[in-house]
Amino acid sequence: MILSFLKNILKILTIKTESYYLQNSFNASLRPTALAGVIAKLDNLQGDTASDKIGVGYQVKLVNMQDQQEYQIELVYPPKHKPCAGRFSVISDLGASLLGLSKGEMAQVNILGKPVLFMITQVTSNKKARTTTP
């Protein structure tokens, strides 16, 4: 009984820690190679207006495959990063992993050294935000 209680407490703490990390991750210090990858993805998406691939200005619904928690976010440039309002920068861990993906694909974010998978369940384009550069 005590073991079951402790397992439940650990599970709750893990979920809370993951949520906190997602809300507060902002990779302003990306390694040069990772930052170059984000810039390359942004360049590829800029000329691709017919695609349903996630880019800046897109609204995205996600499901955490570990705990089935749902998230609705908007992908934005760094100055507009505000996770508590659902706006995640393209250089945050979550934002960088979503760039270029489509509905039905999985995004992976490493949280405290452990991979967490998110299923993309809905993608909505905001064309005005997509064509605006920082």
Side-chain angles (χ1 to χ4, degrees):
M1 184 168 149
I2 292 175
L3 184 59
S4 175
F5 175 74
L6 291 175
K7 284 182 180 179
N8 286 335
I9 294 292
L10 181 61
K11 185 177 180 180
I12 290 169
L13 286 174
T14 301
I15 291 169
K16 294 288 185 186
T17 302
E18 288 175 0
S19 294
Y20 178 80
Y21 180 84
L22 284 175
Q23 291 291 315
N24 294 291
S25 73
F26 184 71
N27 255 342
S29 62
L30 281 175
R31 291 175 313 217
T33 55
L35 188 55
V38 169
I39 292 169
K41 285 181 184 179
L42 288 170
D43 278 345
N44 289 339
L45 291 169
Q46 191 168 17
D48 188 3
T49 57
S51 174
D52 63 345
K53 293 183 179 186
I54 297 170
V56 175
Y58 277 67
Q59 300 281 335
V60 183
K61 283 189 181 179
L62 308 164
V63 175
N64 182 328
M65 299 309 290
Q66 181 177 337
D67 61 13
Q68 302 306 307
Q69 186 171 352
E70 292 184 5
Y71 298 90
Q72 182 166 342
I73 70 161
E74 178 182 5
L75 207 55
V76 297
Y77 287 113
K80 294 185 178 183
H81 179 77
K82 190 171 185 181
C84 62
R87 293 190 305 264
F88 283 78
S89 167
V90 294
I91 62 171
S92 69
D93 291 338
L94 182 59
S97 70
L98 289 170
L99 274 176
L101 298 180
S102 303
K103 179 181 175 180
E105 292 188 281
M106 302 286 263
Q108 180 176 313
V109 179
N110 288 321
I111 298 176
L112 304 173
K114 184 175 107 186
V116 177
L117 293 175
F118 293 88
M119 170 68 80
I120 300 166
T121 59
Q122 185 177 350
V123 177
T124 308
S125 171
N126 178 348
K127 295 290 185 186
K128 181 181 176 188
R130 187 173 183 201
T131 58
T132 305
T133 55

